Amino acid sequence: VTGASFVVFNGALKTSSGFLAKSSIVEDGLMVQVTPETMERLRQALRDKKDFKITCGKADAEGLKEYVDICWVENEEKTNKG
């Protein structure tokens, strides 16, 4: 679990890169690079206020993957107040 001051979603990742998505820490935030198709699905999920999971890593890699979970919560007391 990583806490971040901000999140940047970049929808310019090319399918030919071989990655499902990439995540990296930038200063005190998180940058998530996704394909245009994933970006469109993410935007729709945000509009609909639905949870969304992004799987990061090589498309052909087996085993451990990283995930970026966007979760809507009803009780904000348990979220980061910073």
Side-chain angles (χ1 to χ4, degrees):
V1 175
T2 301
S5 295
F6 64 90
V7 179
V8 174
F9 294 101
N10 177 340
L13 185 68
K14 300 204 182 307
T15 308
S16 62
S17 70
F19 284 91
L20 299 168
K22 290 176 165 182
S23 64
S24 55
I25 296 173
V26 180
E27 295 181 15
D28 60 343
L30 179 69
M31 180 170 67
V32 184
Q33 297 174 330
V34 296
T35 62
E37 296 81 16
T38 301
M39 179 62 90
E40 186 53 42
R41 291 195 323 269
L42 170 60
R43 292 177 71 202
Q44 188 60 51
L46 292 172
R47 282 188 213 105
D48 297 341
K49 294 186 178 178
K50 301 282 184 184
D51 293 351
F52 194 79
K53 178 182 264 190
I54 300 170
T55 304
C56 299
K58 284 277 200 182
D60 58 359
E62 293 183 22
L64 187 63
K65 298 263 190 225
E66 290 182 6
Y67 299 95
V68 176
D69 289 322
I70 295 106
C71 303
W72 292 88
V73 295
E74 291 185 27
N75 183 354
E76 294 185 19
E77 292 178 12
K78 295 181 181 178
T79 61
N80 183 357
K81 294 191 186 280

